[in-house]
Amino acid sequence: MYNAEPHSAIADARVAAVIARLQASRSRPADGGRRGNPAMSRDPHDYAEQGFSIDPEQGELIYLLCRGLRAKRVAEFATSVGMSTLYFAAAMRDNGGGTVIGSEIVPAKVQAAKRNLAEAGLADYAEIREGDARKTLRDLGGPVDFILIDGWPGEKGPTLARQVIEIVAPQLRVGGYVMNDNAEADFLEFVRDPKNGFVSITLPLKGGTELCLKVA
């Protein structure tokens, strides 16, 4: 019989409690924010109180894929208040050790993410780099197994997602994954071009989530 109740792969009650708290208190601007109102400010510092994060379904998939990969080193753009970081860090711990390298440009969110990781008992498995991801993720210190790209949409020119994937793709090992939350057109153009070494599919999560596998 199909069980309609969602089931989490994360057995640690301490981690689950922090994730549940973040999900329950998820805060967005009343008018829908940058997606619901294109005229709104595009400055991420104007939304220091809003946690623009992945949904738990995406996080559960990240956790399972990282466990399956036996991932030890992963990265993300952007950390926000640490929802995705919790799933990554839990996988690193449960794989026997590892590190998630996060990037977040808003100082208040860096501090919030660190508090949430500490509350979950996962602080030792995360390194949050404060600043512009185009700088903070330029050197990941070696190959990584998984990268999440869920950053702030830009106004003009190449999106941040496109700029970041160009920086981090060479640092992702063959067989590693990239997950993209916002489906930026120029990001999709990059990962769907065979010469860049990826194959990808669109998943029915949060309105469309692109999961990309590096094959060459």
Side-chain angles (χ1 to χ4, degrees), residues 16 86 100 102 113 120 129 132 140 185 194:
L86 290 165
V100 49
R129 299 178 179 179
D132 188 325
L140 295 173

Side-chain angles (χ1 to χ4, degrees), residues 31-119:
D31 60 1
R34 67 195 191 282
R35 285 182 173 178
N37 183 358
M40 285 190 68
S41 168
R42 293 290 177 138
D43 185 346
H45 294 86
D46 291 339
Y47 304 95
E49 301 302 317
Q50 275 82 44
F52 298 108
S53 302
I54 63 168
D55 285 347
E57 293 82 2
Q58 294 167 299
E60 294 286 347
L61 180 58
I62 285 171
Y63 175 84
L64 281 177
L65 289 172
C66 285
R67 291 300 308 276
L69 286 170
R70 300 186 182 275
K72 295 294 185 182
R73 303 183 68 257
V74 298
E76 63 174 7
F77 161 65
T79 294
S80 187
V81 297
M83 175 73 97
S84 54
T85 324
L86 290 165
Y87 287 100
F88 274 126
M92 298 302 98
R93 181 197 60 188
D94 296 345
N95 279 346
T99 302
V100 49
I101 300 169
S103 180
E104 175 55 53
I105 200 169
V106 180
K109 290 187 175 182
V110 173
Q111 296 308 310
K114 289 180 176 179
R115 289 193 301 270
N116 291 326
L117 287 159
E119 183 181 336

Side-chain angles (χ1 to χ4, degrees), residues 135-153:
K135 297 178 181 178
T136 60
L137 300 184
R138 188 163 292 279
D139 182 3
L140 295 173
V144 294
D145 303 297
F146 198 116
I147 300 168
L148 172 67
I149 295 183
D150 182 24
W152 196 258

Side-chain angles (χ1 to χ4, degrees), residues 61-62 65-66 69 75-77 88 144-150 161 164-173 175-181 184 187-188 190-191 196-203 209-215:
L61 180 58
I62 285 171
L65 289 172
C66 285
L69 286 170
E76 63 174 7
F77 161 65
F88 274 126
V144 294
D145 303 297
F146 198 116
I147 300 168
L148 172 67
I149 295 183
D150 182 24
V164 171
I165 187 62
E166 291 185 0
I167 291 167
V168 299
Q171 303 180 76
L172 179 71
R173 71 170 176 87
Y177 289 98
V178 175
M179 181 182 286
N180 170 252
D181 182 53
E184 292 92 339
F187 172 90
L188 297 178
F190 180 88
V191 296
N196 292 320
F198 288 91
V199 293
S200 73
I201 58 172
T202 303
L203 303 176
T209 297
E210 198 76 5
L211 182 63
C212 319
L213 173 66
K214 187 172 181 179
V215 294

Side-chain angles (χ1 to χ4, degrees), residues 10-21:
I10 297 176
D12 188 329
R14 190 174 174 185
V15 177
V18 179
I19 289 172
R21 174 177 59 76

